[in-house]
Amino acid sequence: CDKSKKQRKTEDENREFKVEWTELFAFIQNSNGLPTCLICQEKLAHNKKSNLERHFTTKHASFGSKYPVGDARKKAVEELQKSQQKSSSVFNYWVQSSNNVNIASFIVSQEIAKRGKPYTDGEYIKSCFINASEELFRDFKNKAEILNKIKELPLSAKTVKDRTVKMSSNITNQQIEDLKLVSALSIAVDESCDINDTAQVSLFVRFISSTGPKEELLGLLPLKGQTRGEDIANAVIECMEKHHIPLDKIVSISTDGAKSMTRVRKGFVSILTEKINHEILVYHCIIHQEALCAQTFPEEICNVMELVIKIVNTIVAKALYHRQFKEFLVEMESEYADLLLHNKVRWLSRGNVLKRFASLLLEIKAFLLEKGVDYPELTDDQWIQKFYFMVDVTSHLNNLNRKLQEKGNTIFSMLEEVISFENKLSLFAQDFERETLIHFPSLLKYRQENNSVIDIYYFKTAILNMREAFLRRFQEFRNSMATLAFVKKPLSADVTELNFSLFNIDIGAFEMQLLELKNKELWSSKFERLNADLEKLEKNKCDFSSQHKWSALKDLEKEDMIIFNTWNSIPDSYHQLKKLAFAVLSLFGSTYSCEQSFSSMNLIKSTLRNRLIDENLESCLKLKTTTYKPDLSKLSKEMQGHCSH
């Protein structure tokens, strides 16, 4: 008996709506498949004829008597259906319209955040949009409708702030979802102070997602008290645990080499490595090391740079002098209209300042003489020699620095650039030994024009000392060179030279898969094409650099993406090879991303926005630095539509 009751209940629930019930009882089937009354909009739980009939006869008896079954009932029900469809259409239009307004609001808020602008710019943009639309759509018949749409855009400062926080949270969720799937990731950590002297730790993660290499800001972590290694480590560990990212996935750490980062016992690196249950690579940022090598000049040469800065400040710091100097350059028909200021934070600025100073040296000497300001060094032969030597050497260092800062470079490529520069330094020393000076055009020109005797031994020694500094550094990169090269040259890899201890590789399976890869033309040919693609990329880089087409240089496909696409096209049967390749591709070579984020942080949290709280600063910075796109459609649907405020 119980069984039959249960069976009847199931049959009742699975009954289908019958088309004839619409005319008989004024019911239609809703989107969930359940009957809905056209007269009172009440929904019934089951498609049972007896339920529909009971509802109709008890609640709508007057309708039944007014419109008896037949043509009268049929026409009345059709009118009810038309009314229902019209009402539904209006509601759907309102929902879609509200959704579109929300998405547009998110888009504007995203653009504001990406450019580091204040939240209040939302109202300014809206005002511009409305005023411009008055003219743009003057001849449009639906001009009023367009303007009403724009006026509905919610872009108050509070709205833009809320939108920015929501988009940042959405991006973080996307990052975490991708990080859950990876077997290896690297972190780059650096610390700097914002406008309020709050220490901010920039934590970047690098990993390989399904779409390619990602280098993402995971968090901007404020330190309210001290900035010791343990404070930085605790902030990083807390951030990783908050997002449920296992520390054991970390295979490398890159820092700027500061004591708080690298101290043996209480440094950030030593504290974090104790929490990780396997060996990891620790890299001192390759760009910082290159900058330290560049600081090996003798004291006399360093004094040259200090005097140049002093002279520039003498001219530029005083408004009257500065105006008169610029007018003086116009009268002299000079190549340049002004001097450049030195910025210690921007590593490329030194070479640019020296180069501009050298170009304007005659004008500077004449201007200072006119003002009665005497710098005897500007006429001293030995000082001038050192100055032109600095101009040429910093130009070479700038070229190296610019290559190291390019986005998408692998560590192996960065190391190749450093080793290449080491060999160039040997060539520069030989250039002085031969006394040809072909690699020092400024110094050569000075010698030719003034018949000066160059102190060959002094400059050669300075170059060799710099080369020694280069040779002493970058050891952590040199020791892993064969492993780092694997992503580009797997066909020439020697298994005995590779470091597997970091990546949990099955060496036996790896050897078998590598042998198969080398002997199968279908797959090995892909790496031959990879070399051709990388060769083409390098040629384009050289061409654009020589032509100073920096924007075109940025638009080129990135090296790591080209390598990823090649490995991603290899079948998963070579999973051990791909595991090593993707782990190596995920390594940081520098903390350049952290340095860039601090520049953006100072732009966002400026003197005028010094009350920006840490949460909002992080949200703005994440939107400015990320490669992810927030899911605006999802975010918009989660919100209730409302008019502008």
Side-chain angles (χ1 to χ4, degrees), residues 462-570:
I463 290 293
L464 290 176
N465 287 341
M466 186 183 291
R467 183 174 184 274
E468 286 300 316
F470 269 87
L471 291 172
R472 286 194 302 269
R473 290 190 173 274
F474 312 103
Q475 286 305 317
E476 65 270 44
F477 296 100
R478 299 178 202 271
N479 295 340
S480 307
M481 195 160 182
T483 307
L484 300 178
F486 176 76
V487 291
K488 295 169 76 172
K489 304 173 182 178
L491 302 181
S492 58
D494 184 346
V495 175
T496 60
E497 296 178 354
L498 301 178
N499 183 1
F500 298 110
S501 59
L502 306 163
F503 311 116
N504 191 26
I505 300 291
D506 183 335
I507 301 176
F510 184 93
E511 287 182 320
M512 294 291 286
Q513 291 171 20
L514 182 59
L515 186 65
E516 286 184 19
L517 184 76
K518 290 180 178 180
N519 287 282
K520 286 196 175 180
E521 175 67 22
L522 182 62
W523 309 127
S524 62
S525 62
K526 286 183 176 292
F527 293 97
E528 293 170 4
R529 288 197 295 273
L530 171 62
N531 287 329
D533 291 340
L534 293 176
E535 181 183 328
K536 182 180 178 182
L537 174 66
E538 193 61 31
K539 182 180 181 300
N540 288 333
K541 283 183 179 180
C542 293
D543 291 343
F544 291 148
S545 296
S546 62
Q547 298 166 21
H548 302 289
K549 294 182 177 179
W550 309 121
S551 57
L553 196 63
K554 289 180 181 179
D555 292 337
L556 289 174
E557 189 174 7
K558 303 297 180 278
E559 179 190 36
D560 57 359
M561 193 65 192
I562 295 174
I563 295 172
F564 166 79
N565 287 334
T566 299
W567 278 103
N568 204 38
S569 66
I570 300 295

Side-chain angles (χ1 to χ4, degrees), residues 15 22 44 60 97 144 195 200 340 435 498 510 515 549:
R15 286 177 175 172
T22 299
L44 302 186
H60 306 299
S97 177
I195 193 72
Q200 301 281 0
L340 294 177
E435 300 188 24
L498 301 178
F510 184 93
L515 186 65
K549 294 182 177 179

